[in-house]
Amino acid sequence: MWYKKDLLGIKELSQKEILTILDVAKNFKEVAARPIKKVPTLRGKTVINLFFEPSTRTRISFEIAAKRLSADSLNFSSSSSSLVKGETIIDTALTLEAMAPDIVIVRHSKVGIPHKLASILKSSVVNAGDGAHEHPTQALLDAFTILEHKGKIEGLSVAIIGDISHSRVVRSNIHLLTKLGAKVRVAGPLTLIPPGFEKLGVKICKSIQSAVEGCDVIMALRIQKERQGRVFIPSLEEYYEMFALTPQTLKYAKEDAIVMHPGPINRGVEISSEIADSPRSVILDQVSAGVAVRMAILYLLANVKEKQDG
Amino acid sequence: MDKFILKNGLVIDPLEGIHDKADIYVENGKVIKIAERITKRGVKQIDLDGLVVAPGFIDIHVHLREPGYEYKEDIESGLKAAIAGGFTTICCMPNTKPVNDNPYITEYIISRANKLKLAKVYPIGAITVRQEGKILTPMAQLKRAGVIAFSDDGFSVENSDLLLRAFQYSNHFNTVIIQHPEDNYLSNGGVMNEGEVSARLGMRGIPNIAEDVIIARDIMLADYAGSRYHVAHLSTKKGLELVKEAKKSNIKVTCEVTPHHLLLTDRSIEEYNFSTCVKMKPPLRTEKDRKALIEGLKDGTVDVIASDHAPHHKDEKELPFEDAPFGIVGLETTVSVLLDRLVREGIISLERLIELLSTNPAKILSLPGGTLKEGSVADITVIDPQREHTIDPKKFYSKGRSTPFAGWRVKGKVVMTIIEGRIVYADL
Amino acid sequence: MILVKGKKEVEERIESLASELLEKVKSEKSVAIIGIHTRGIPLASRIIEYIKPYIAVEKGQLDITFYRDDLSKIAPNPVVKATKLPPIDDKVVVLIDDVLYTGRTVRAALDELIDFGRPKKVYLVVLVDREERELPICADFIGFKIKVKKGEKIDVKFPETDGSETSIYIRR
């Protein structure tokens, strides 16, 4: 049974809720293999993609998910800067509410916006990424992909490499993986690992070698090129030398370790082409899993049941 | 009404060591007599049985926003909020538009305030022109115009040499330099405390060291110059330790803390669902820091509690957490939340609270008031420690409504504010 | 719970249902026999056992959750079971369910089936018809007709799904 009105973060989910989403996603993976990839489940439901930050991949993934469930899916894009002056988030939320959508998918460059909208809107809210805070559907699709390849999550060692400070993917993944019993290590330039990060229950490694050693899963994060030359990373070349996933660095991982990346990848920055194109790379499986996981979430939220007392 | 008798109140004046049920006779704006029983024919009596009579409270860290930001607050709304919150005197920070860095702005603020006959206002002048940290302000002229202390509040004076000159120059007037301790390079774009919570929430943190390094440096500079230094809204454990050590070495340093840093931590950001009512500078710190501040209240290291009343417009505070301006209102909540969460819970005595809110601020800034000694100015705050109420920002006089204390059920309230013998606020 | 049909009676009736079905489809080259989750599946496997010596059979199973018309009214079981169908284009398809009541499950099953292809003919086999239809749907092969009052439920049990012997109960 599913009782949560919104999906705001992995932090708020129980282990059981995570497993429910992943189970339901399996069925939707099967739907994607049918001759007609569309089921009438959410006919008549309206899903609004409210994206305050440009994102093609995540938005399209949600859009396909909604369409395959026969929901009506609409896009509302706006740059967050236009909201700094003039219309506030609350105005936008109330405008949307007046159109009575069933589910609102929110992406915003600032932390906490989906949470704020969820507290105002009657509709269900799905966090499609808020600042560097959470990106729950990404973590769920990552877990789905790991399960497909490894059959379990408990007991696995997962290394996450890259710009930890600015990544919402890493935070959601840490919550999810540790809730399901994996051991998580992170590595990246120490200027990009915020103080206090070890309190999230992860091991911080100073080198990529120590991070990937004996690992089952290695996730590279996207390096934002604009961080180069500021205080964080002296140069991208140096980053590549120290932290990129290459055949050399992967030697330290388990032989059957899989390589993941939330996309879009920067070849020659955080990952070498040899690795990105190797059979170890499950990056495209992650993309397919994304649709199934998002269908599962829309399905569960659209049919949310008020929790009965007692 | 130029004379009256306050009857049967519990009179507490830490400076004079008074803690007795007594009557107070006020005439011509002065406390004339305090005695167990005063009767005078034809003089109005106000019965304050069961209430506490204290020297008027003084908030030395207030942003009145006028001139320039009247949409956030103006002198009138700010001073109404002050008297409703029990403050007879406030000191206003210079970060107005234009900045209070010249005597004309100082005179403007004082003349506006004087006309209103609400709380008394003593402006704090800027240390540097336009608070830019480059050129010293005309401190002597500002002092003559009525400035009570100097601060570039909102910014630390970054240039150590310039700050040293400010300290040296302030010795001419024996004036306090108040510093907002924050190294802008270290707090670089941060929006909340740096620590476990910011790591988890993915928001840029302001580390404790951003505050600590400035406090440490300033103490050394003040010591070197032999000047008086006051730390504004101190929020860290280490910062407090630095002040405590400096005091032991007889360096002339004092410090203030705010109610929110005493009662809340950075966990509030999640608990309040990213509401901007918990966004201020310095940011809410950890439980370790909060407990240290409470200890500082008990052991005497903390000299003053100030509200850092920093009103903003509703639209500004409705921005996303990371974009919204820093600052919350405090004039109308400070006394109630402190009575409830510190005094009622037995953390500090009522006497100590009055010392923090009246005696010490008056002493540090050489302000009139802070005592009920016979002959002193009749600035008086009357509180009802038993009065239960719910904090409701809709009822605020301030134009700012953003406060983490909204909705708190508290016991203890200001019921009367008397300034120079005039009853300016009463809710008996 | 009242036992209305015991093991022996139900098993015998399933066999005779299978033989009636075989009679009807024996001229076909093959049939696709598709059980509807949950208890259409053990019923289907019994029928398949009976007829497969005589005719080529392809197995399938169908979970109709995604095609339900009442998702907004009921709390769906979030765990949806797998749908696995053989090719059905131009095939004779036999849909199998334990109880036929309002007809809504069969409606959903037909819709889902048709999204997978275009069968030549579809038969419906049910163990129990409790009547009170809400849609114009009827079964081709019926095990038992059992009338129950409103608020009563018919429970069909199989060892595979319920851990108890094959039987039919009425439950209030």
Side-chain angles (χ1 to χ4, degrees):
Chain A
M1 222 55 92
W2 189 263
Y3 297 111
K4 283 211 159 72
K5 172 183 155 278
D6 311 294
L7 177 70
L8 299 174
I10 302 293
K11 183 170 176 268
E12 292 83 26
L13 295 184
S14 67
Q15 194 192 56
K16 202 172 155 223
E17 287 167 324
I18 293 168
L19 293 175
T20 297
I21 295 171
L22 295 175
D23 269 346
V24 176
K26 265 187 228 155
N27 297 102
F28 286 111
K29 177 101 202 254
E30 181 260 305
V31 169
R34 295 184 185 183
I36 290 179
K37 296 179 187 59
K38 186 171 177 138
V39 290
T41 320
L42 298 191
R43 204 172 44 195
K45 303 272 184 191
T46 308
V47 178
I48 295 187
N49 292 311
L50 181 58
F51 277 61
F52 295 108
E53 190 185 72
S55 153
T56 315
R57 296 158 165 261
T58 306
R59 206 203 65 220
I60 285 182
S61 180
F62 269 110
E63 215 174 320
I64 291 179
K67 290 192 162 143
R68 288 198 176 157
L69 287 166
S70 303
D72 296 306
S73 150
L74 302 120
N75 295 316
F76 179 106
S77 302
S78 173
S79 71
S80 22
S81 60
S82 75
L83 288 162
V84 173
K85 285 174 199 156
E87 196 178 52
T88 64
I89 289 293
I90 292 164
D91 295 327
T92 312
L94 294 175
T95 306
L96 286 173
E97 184 85 317
M99 296 183 232
D102 298 283
I103 299 177
V104 180
I105 319 280
V106 186
R107 155 80 56 107
H108 200 289
S109 61
K110 303 293 175 180
V111 174
I113 297 305
H115 307 70
K116 189 155 197 172
L117 291 184
S119 69
I120 299 168
L121 296 179
K122 286 191 212 83
S123 333
S124 292
V125 173
V126 178
N127 182 358
D130 64 321
H133 181 213
E134 282 235 40
H135 191 357
T137 59
Q138 177 71 41
L140 287 160
L141 73 88
D142 288 342
F144 188 90
T145 310
I146 295 172
L147 281 173
E148 279 188 314
H149 288 271
K150 297 281 165 200
K152 59 165 189 176
I153 286 178
E154 196 176 351
L156 295 184
S157 289
V158 181
I160 309 179
I161 317 289
D163 177 354
I164 305 300
S165 277
H166 301 92
S167 172
R168 50 189 165 222
V169 174
V170 77
R171 287 177 176 79
S172 288
N173 260 307
I174 287 169
H175 290 311
L176 192 151
L177 292 167
T178 54
K179 278 179 191 199
L180 294 192
K183 288 196 178 65
V184 183
R185 312 164 190 175
V186 301
L190 292 171
T191 47
L192 287 170
I193 297 179
F197 205 75
E198 69 289 348
K199 297 205 174 112
L200 272 64
V202 299
K203 190 172 165 225
I204 292 168
C205 300
K206 283 189 189 166
S207 70
I208 188 166
Q209 288 80 2
S210 58
V212 305
E213 186 156 14
C215 260
D216 303 282
V217 177
I218 301 152
M219 263 181 219
L221 301 171
R222 185 176 162 78
I223 286 290
Q224 305 281 326
K225 289 194 173 140
E226 56 272 23
R227 308 252 184 254
Q228 181 191 207
R230 305 242 315 257
V231 292
F232 301 119
I233 313 172
S235 79
L236 291 181
E237 292 71 24
E238 186 156 307
Y239 182 86
Y240 184 82
E241 217 172 275
M242 287 178 78
F243 293 106
L245 299 188
T246 62
Q248 286 75 37
T249 47
L250 280 190
K251 275 195 300 210
Y252 297 88
K254 279 193 187 153
E255 238 168 74
D256 62 348
I258 54 168
V259 171
M260 306 177 75
H261 191 295
I265 60 173
N266 281 320
R267 288 169 186 267
V269 180
E270 68 264 0
I271 191 164
S272 72
S273 285
E274 293 101 299
I275 296 301
D277 304 330
S278 75
R280 307 181 126 186
S281 158
V282 298
I283 296 170
L284 294 176
D285 295 346
Q286 288 174 271
V287 178
S288 331
V291 176
V293 159
R294 289 176 177 121
M295 285 174 83
I297 287 157
L298 296 179
Y299 167 70
L300 291 170
L301 293 185
N303 295 300
V304 67
K305 199 74 181 134
E306 296 282 323
K307 198 158 194 163
Q308 309 284 316
D309 289 327
Chain B
M1 192 165 62
D2 60 352
K3 49 186 160 181
F4 53 84
I5 300 166
L6 301 175
K7 297 286 289 181
N8 305 318
L10 174 65
V11 179
I12 303 180
D13 178 354
L15 190 70
E16 293 293 294
I18 304 171
H19 191 131
D20 287 309
K21 199 162 178 173
D23 295 353
I24 301 179
Y25 177 53
V26 173
E27 190 182 327
N28 287 329
K30 295 230 182 313
V31 174
I32 302 299
K33 192 170 157 74
I34 302 186
E36 204 181 321
R37 196 177 159 78
I38 304 172
T39 42
K40 271 195 174 6
R41 214 175 306 149
V43 175
K44 190 186 158 144
Q45 300 191 343
I46 302 164
D47 185 28
L48 301 180
D49 191 29
L51 307 179
V52 173
V53 182
F57 294 159
I58 299 168
D59 191 342
I60 65 170
H61 197 136
V62 171
H63 298 269
L64 286 179
R65 304 298 190 204
E66 186 180 343
Y69 299 105
E70 288 82 357
Y71 71 97
K72 294 175 193 259
E73 187 85 288
D74 57 35
I75 292 171
E76 184 171 353
S77 63
L79 296 185
K80 280 181 175 162
I83 57 171
F87 293 100
T88 54
T89 299
I90 62 116
C91 301
C92 59
M93 285 296 174
N95 58 342
T96 46
K97 192 171 78 183
V99 168
N100 186 11
D101 60 5
N102 66 73
Y104 309 106
I105 301 295
T106 310
E107 279 160 12
Y108 168 79
I109 294 167
I110 290 171
S111 75
R112 282 276 292 135
N114 285 347
K115 270 186 214 136
L116 292 165
K117 294 195 174 302
L118 296 163
K120 296 188 283 188
V121 176
Y122 293 89
I124 293 165
I127 299 171
T128 65
V129 172
R130 289 189 290 275
Q131 295 184 296
E132 284 173 350
K134 290 186 183 124
I135 304 161
L136 287 186
T137 53
M139 286 185 170
Q141 290 180 10
L142 281 163
K143 190 78 175 83
R144 202 181 319 120
V147 150
I148 198 75
F150 295 96
S151 176
D152 271 1
D153 186 60
F155 307 96
S156 283
V157 177
E158 188 187 305
N159 180 330
S160 304
D161 178 55
L162 187 71
L163 184 65
L164 179 61
R165 305 294 165 208
F167 272 128
Q168 290 168 336
Y169 204 68
S170 73
N171 288 344
H172 284 295
F173 332 107
N174 194 27
T175 306
V176 183
I177 297 279
I178 302 172
Q179 181 87 290
H180 164 119
E182 180 188 2
D183 183 316
N184 261 311
Y185 289 102
L186 289 173
S187 66
N188 174 33
V191 295
M192 63 175 291
N193 181 53
E194 178 182 278
E196 182 187 348
V197 182
S198 68
R200 188 167 62 235
L201 297 183
M203 292 201 274
R204 193 171 288 181
I206 301 174
N208 282 22
I209 49 161
E211 182 166 333
D212 302 340
V213 295
I214 297 293
I215 295 175
R217 178 199 70 168
D218 291 358
I219 286 172
M220 294 170 91
L221 291 174
D223 183 28
Y224 182 70
S227 307
R228 295 175 60 204
Y229 172 52
H230 179 79
V231 185
H233 44 51
L234 187 145
S235 73
T236 67
K237 181 169 189 274
K238 180 74 187 167
L240 197 74
E241 283 165 9
L242 289 165
V243 169
K244 195 171 177 176
E245 283 308 304
K247 284 183 168 183
K248 271 192 207 149
S249 317
N250 292 320
I251 299 168
K252 289 178 268 181
V253 55
T254 52
C255 70
E256 75 194 25
V257 298
T258 72
H260 41 278
H261 291 110
L262 288 168
L263 301 177
L264 300 167
T265 67
D266 56 357
R267 299 203 176 270
S268 296
I269 294 166
E270 280 167 305
E271 287 155 16
Y272 283 75
N273 197 26
F274 303 100
S275 167
T276 57
C277 75
V278 285
K279 185 178 181 185
M280 70 292 284
K281 264 191 184 175
L284 295 175
R285 302 286 188 188
T286 64
E287 185 61 13
K288 196 180 79 191
D289 296 300
R290 191 189 76 84
K291 283 204 173 121
L293 299 188
I294 295 279
E295 276 314 301
L297 287 185
K298 290 184 184 169
D299 71 12
T301 309
V302 173
D303 298 283
V304 171
I305 297 178
S307 72
D308 192 8
H309 178 85
H312 291 287
H313 193 271
K314 178 170 170 286
D315 292 351
E316 297 169 309
K317 287 301 264 186
E318 275 182 5
L319 288 170
F321 190 91
E322 289 163 275
D323 293 335
F326 295 92
I328 58 167
V329 294
L331 283 170
E332 290 165 89
T333 55
T334 294
V335 175
S336 287
V337 296
L338 296 177
L339 283 171
D340 188 74
R341 300 298 159 101
L342 295 184
V343 178
R344 190 181 58 81
E345 293 194 358
I347 293 166
I348 57 168
S349 66
L350 186 52
E351 199 145 359
R352 173 74 175 133
L353 181 68
I354 293 168
E355 192 173 86
L356 290 157
L357 287 173
S358 182
T359 322
N360 290 350
K363 204 187 308 178
I364 291 166
L365 294 186
S366 314
L367 295 163
T371 177
L372 296 172
K373 187 167 64 177
E374 289 175 1
S376 63
V377 61
D379 288 352
I380 299 167
T381 301
V382 183
I383 52 189
D384 182 349
Q386 302 304 319
R387 177 89 72 91
E388 268 195 71
H389 65 115
T390 301
I391 292 173
D392 179 6
K394 282 196 214 84
K395 295 184 183 153
F396 287 173
Y397 289 93
S398 171
K399 291 183 186 176
R401 298 289 151 91
S402 187
T403 167
F405 305 124
W408 282 29
R409 187 83 191 148
V410 288
K411 206 168 178 183
K413 191 181 180 302
V414 169
V415 292
M416 185 179 276
T417 309
I418 300 167
I419 296 171
E420 293 176 347
R422 284 175 292 114
I423 298 169
V424 290
Y425 175 80
D427 177 24
L428 283 173
Chain C
M1 272 205 311
I2 305 157
L3 179 71
V4 286
K5 305 282 174 195
K7 178 170 184 250
K8 187 161 174 289
E9 196 181 349
V10 176
E11 282 177 352
E12 282 172 7
R13 189 68 191 104
I14 292 172
E15 249 178 53
S16 56
L17 265 179
S19 98
E20 287 166 35
L21 173 67
L22 180 61
E23 198 56 37
K24 198 90 175 181
V25 299
K26 64 185 177 196
S27 57
E28 301 293 334
K29 268 204 261 17
S30 74
V31 287
I33 295 189
I34 293 162
I36 299 175
H37 277 293
T38 304
R39 288 177 193 78
I41 290 171
L43 179 57
S45 65
R46 282 163 177 69
I47 290 170
I48 290 165
E49 279 310 306
Y50 184 88
I51 67 170
K52 81 179 174 195
Y54 311 101
I55 183 170
V57 176
E58 286 178 288
K59 281 196 257 187
Q61 50 179 289
L62 205 56
D63 186 306
I64 56 108
T65 308
F66 298 147
Y67 286 74
R68 293 186 76 117
D69 61 1
D70 54 358
L71 273 179
S72 55
K73 289 187 203 129
I74 60 150
N77 184 353
V79 181
V80 184
K81 304 207 180 67
T83 291
K84 285 183 207 145
L85 294 184
I88 56 166
D89 271 335
D90 293 322
K91 290 273 173 58
V92 170
V93 171
V94 183
L95 273 179
I96 297 191
D97 203 2
D98 58 341
V99 179
L100 176 59
Y101 176 25
T102 61
R104 289 181 191 274
T105 301
V106 174
R107 191 284 306 162
L110 286 169
D111 279 355
E112 182 158 14
L113 198 63
I114 278 154
D115 276 352
F116 280 82
R118 187 178 180 281
K120 184 164 97 184
K121 172 144 183 100
V122 181
Y123 290 109
L124 175 62
V125 178
V126 298
L127 184 59
V128 179
D129 180 355
R130 65 164 284 186
E131 302 185 342
E132 304 282 335
R133 217 78 73 232
E134 292 170 5
L135 295 172
I137 279 170
C138 64
D140 302 285
F141 304 93
I142 295 166
F144 304 101
K145 286 200 176 193
I146 301 174
K147 271 201 172 215
V148 292
K149 297 190 199 84
K150 262 229 161 351
E152 287 180 334
K153 260 199 87 186
I154 291 179
D155 278 356
V156 174
K157 295 191 188 286
F158 289 105
E160 303 95 299
T161 49
D162 307 279
S164 55
E165 61 182 30
T166 309
S167 48
I168 302 172
Y169 288 88
I170 293 180
R171 181 159 57 94
R172 249 171 234 283

